[in-house]
């Protein structure tokens, strides 16, 4: 893992978390015709805390019912990140100290993801800067996702012994071909217009125009979904940044579709080895660093999620999250990448063939009365 990659993992999973809860971690304001949510932890790249989730969820529900609120906008403060992920290190440390915040954090985070996915008002996420993990969960399920040239998207969870949660099992397998499987298993990063080209963002605008775009949205009078879409479409059409550049993965899409169409991780690895191209071998090198358990969980999560509703996926992912908290690799991944920073996680099991079907099945088992219910 390079220094840059390590820095990305560290920001993604929130390195310096303040231990206190703070009402200003998230700003909830009624402006013009809209409810505006501002994630306000710029020093830690707006990583998402349980406290923030607990403020956003009830306000989102109130605005959804309020006849004077016509749309909801969510954005990040500071200019460097929309939201670089969930406050995962704190969850791991609490779990090891036998403080059970993990069931609450994941349950309430996934409830918020679902509320965004089912929101009856237009929901506009302004994806400026780093947008990873939990930040994807509070944007991608909404109706409109507006990326700028500074947007950096990734779901890098397999590198820390987790899986691409927050509804990743829903939106990733629905991307073109096997692109979502590739992004999920490798943690590959997409930048700028490529976030739009991949189908993750619905619009792409110049970051210098974000302020006036927001003003135009707030100034709308009793707007319909179509009115909101028209404003976004205007800015999208005007944006010339990287318009003539092709998608960064364009030349590799056929390879991705053929190599990642297998039903087992072992077969995907064999496909990449047989392909033998520099691109395939590079992905092989990346995959070989990931948690074997995470890889197998993720592949099955996406395969099953491809035919489930968002709620069914989040119920499945809640089961997986709790199994990962009980297991070894998540805490080891946090240790190796975020705490000791030796970048040498010792995964258990250490090899794909040791991750048996029985072991895998246990991660997907119902939690009975503790299951996530909507």
């Amino acid at each position: 893992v390079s220094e840059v990659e390590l820095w990305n993992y560290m920001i993604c999973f929130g390195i310096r978390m303040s231990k206190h809860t703070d009402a200003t971690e998230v700003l909830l304001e009624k402006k013009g015709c809209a409810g505006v949510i501002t994630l306000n932890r710029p020093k830690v790249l707006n990583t998402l805390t349980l406290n923030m989730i607990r403020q956003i969820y009830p306000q989102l529900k109130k605005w959804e019912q309020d006849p004077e609120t016509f749309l909801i906008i969510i954005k990040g403060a500071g200019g460097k990140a929309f939201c670089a992920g969930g406050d995962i290190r704190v969850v791991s440390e609490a779990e090891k100290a036998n403080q059970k915040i993990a069931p609450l954090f994941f349950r309430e985070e996934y409830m918020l993801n679902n509320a965004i996915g089912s929101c009856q008002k237009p929901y506009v996420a302004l994806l400026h800067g780093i947008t990873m993990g939990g930040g994807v969960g509070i944007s991608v399920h909404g109706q409109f996702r507006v990326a700028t040239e500074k947007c950096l998207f990734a779901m890098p969870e397999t590198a820390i012994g987790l899986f691409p949660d927050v509804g990743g099992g829903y939106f990733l397998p629905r991307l073109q071909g096997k692109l979502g499987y590739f992004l999920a298993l490798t943690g590959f990063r997409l930048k700028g217009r490529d976030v739009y080209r991949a189908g993750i963002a619905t619009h792409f605008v110049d970051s210098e125009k974000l302020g006036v775009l927001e003003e135009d949205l707030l100034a709308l009078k009793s707007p319909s979904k179509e009115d909101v879409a028209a404003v976004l479409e205007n800015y999208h059409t005007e944006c010339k940044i990287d318009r003539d550049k092709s998608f960064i993965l364009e030349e590799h899409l056929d390879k991705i579709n053929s190599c990642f169409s297998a039903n087992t991780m072992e077969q995907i690895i064999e496909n990449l080895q047989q392909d033998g191209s520099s691109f395939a071998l590079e992905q092989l090198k990346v995959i070989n660093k990931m948690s074997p358990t995470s890889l197998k969980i993720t592949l099955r999560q996406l395969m099953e999620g491809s035919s489930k509703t968002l709620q069914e996926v989040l119920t499945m992912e809640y089961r997986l999250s709790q199994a990962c908290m009980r297991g070894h690799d998540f805490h080891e991944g946090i240790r190796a990448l975020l705490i000791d920073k030796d970048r040498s996680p010792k995964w258990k099991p250490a090899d794909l063939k040791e991750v048996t079907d029985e072991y895998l099945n246990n991660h997907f088992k119902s939690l009975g009365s503790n299951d996530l219910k909507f």
Side-chain angles (χ1 to χ4, degrees):
V1 181
S2 70
E3 289 296 328
V4 173
E5 284 177 307
L6 178 62
W7 185 79
N8 278 336
Y9 290 134
M10 289 162 74
I11 55 178
C12 174
F13 298 108
I15 285 307
R16 298 183 194 283
M17 306 311 164
S18 54
K19 294 285 188 252
H20 66 288
T21 60
D22 182 353
T24 61
E25 286 185 338
V26 59
L27 309 177
L28 303 161
E29 303 165 284
K30 182 67 170 46
K31 292 183 177 180
C33 67
V36 181
I37 303 164
T38 307
L39 309 174
N40 193 37
R41 303 178 76 215
K43 288 181 181 172
V44 288
L45 304 172
N46 300 322
T47 43
L48 196 61
T49 66
L50 183 56
N51 177 51
M52 291 162 77
I53 293 163
R54 286 179 168 175
Q55 290 182 66
I56 296 167
Y57 182 88
Q59 187 61 66
L60 180 67
K61 289 294 187 186
K62 275 183 196 161
W63 280 333
E64 195 176 7
Q65 298 302 318
D66 175 21
E68 297 303 308
T69 303
F70 292 87
L71 76 144
I72 292 150
I73 297 171
I74 185 166
K75 60 182 181 173
K80 288 185 180 172
F82 166 68
C83 173
D87 205 337
I88 296 288
R89 179 174 171 177
V90 164
V91 173
S92 175
E93 288 174 346
E95 198 71 9
K96 284 191 288 189
N98 219 21
Q99 299 164 342
K100 297 293 178 187
I101 72 160
L104 296 173
F105 181 86
F106 289 104
R107 184 179 293 271
E108 295 183 41
E109 182 182 27
Y110 296 178
M111 293 288 282
L112 177 58
N113 301 152
N114 178 65
I116 291 164
S118 61
C119 185
Q120 297 302 301
K121 301 269 171 88
Y123 183 95
V124 182
L126 303 178
L127 307 182
H128 179 58
I130 297 155
T131 304
M132 297 185 183
V136 178
I138 55 171
S139 57
V140 78
H141 306 298
Q143 202 165 15
F144 301 111
R145 289 93 62 191
V146 182
T148 74
E149 75 280 4
K150 299 280 172 56
C151 182
L152 177 65
F153 164 94
M155 295 297 279
E157 289 83 359
T158 54
I160 59 149
L162 204 57
F163 60 95
D165 64 335
V166 296
Y170 182 79
F171 83 87
L172 288 164
R174 285 165 173 79
L175 299 179
Q176 57 185 295
K178 294 293 173 179
L179 177 61
Y181 290 77
F182 166 75
L183 296 173
L185 294 167
T186 65
F188 189 89
R189 288 167 176 73
L190 294 172
K191 295 175 186 169
R193 195 179 278 269
D194 286 337
V195 181
Y196 165 74
R197 290 195 177 108
I200 293 149
T202 57
H203 297 81
F204 181 71
V205 306
D206 186 332
S207 62
E208 290 183 0
K209 297 282 176 68
L210 267 192
V212 283
L213 165 61
E214 189 181 338
E215 283 172 20
D216 282 357
L217 289 172
L218 298 179
L220 290 169
K221 299 284 180 268
S222 309
S224 65
K225 179 181 79 174
E226 290 73 22
D227 296 331
V228 173
V231 171
L232 297 177
E233 197 57 41
N234 283 341
Y235 280 87
H236 173 78
T237 307
E238 280 174 20
C239 183
K240 294 182 173 62
I241 297 170
D242 292 338
R243 188 186 281 173
D244 301 324
K245 276 191 187 171
S246 61
F247 182 36
I248 191 169
L249 292 169
E250 190 67 45
E251 62 183 300
H252 306 301
L253 285 176
D254 288 345
K255 275 185 177 51
I256 287 170
N257 291 341
S258 59
C259 290
F260 287 83
S261 62
N263 292 334
T264 66
M265 272 314 302
E266 289 87 347
Q267 187 61 53
I268 288 173
I269 283 171
E270 195 177 314
N271 290 347
L272 290 166
Q273 286 168 337
Q274 285 183 348
D275 180 279
S277 65
S278 58
F279 176 78
L281 296 177
E282 183 60 36
Q283 305 323 310
L284 203 54
K285 205 162 80 177
V286 170
I287 284 171
N288 283 333
K289 292 177 185 171
M290 305 306 193
S291 154
T293 300
S294 290
L295 290 170
K296 285 203 171 181
I297 287 173
T298 298
L299 180 58
R300 179 164 159 189
Q301 170 206 2
L302 266 61
M303 286 168 64
E304 292 197 9
S306 66
S307 59
K308 290 183 186 291
T309 65
L310 176 58
Q311 288 189 353
E312 288 168 342
V313 164
L314 291 168
T315 297
M316 169 179 69
E317 291 180 355
Y318 185 70
R319 293 169 182 171
L320 294 174
S321 74
Q322 299 313 292
C324 288
M325 292 308 105
R326 295 191 302 269
H328 168 271
D329 280 6
F330 170 65
H331 304 291
E332 173 60 10
I334 294 289
R335 181 206 65 74
L337 285 164
L338 304 186
I339 298 172
D340 297 341
K341 300 175 195 170
D342 57 36
R343 292 175 271 170
S344 299
K346 304 290 184 282
W347 305 125
K348 289 181 190 172
D351 197 277
L352 279 171
K353 63 177 178 288
E354 295 168 36
V355 184
T356 63
D357 287 348
E358 184 187 3
Y359 181 72
L360 197 59
N361 289 341
N362 283 333
H363 287 73
F364 286 82
K365 272 186 182 163
S366 168
L367 299 171
S369 60
N370 289 326
D371 258 342
L372 178 60
K373 296 180 185 71
F374 297 96

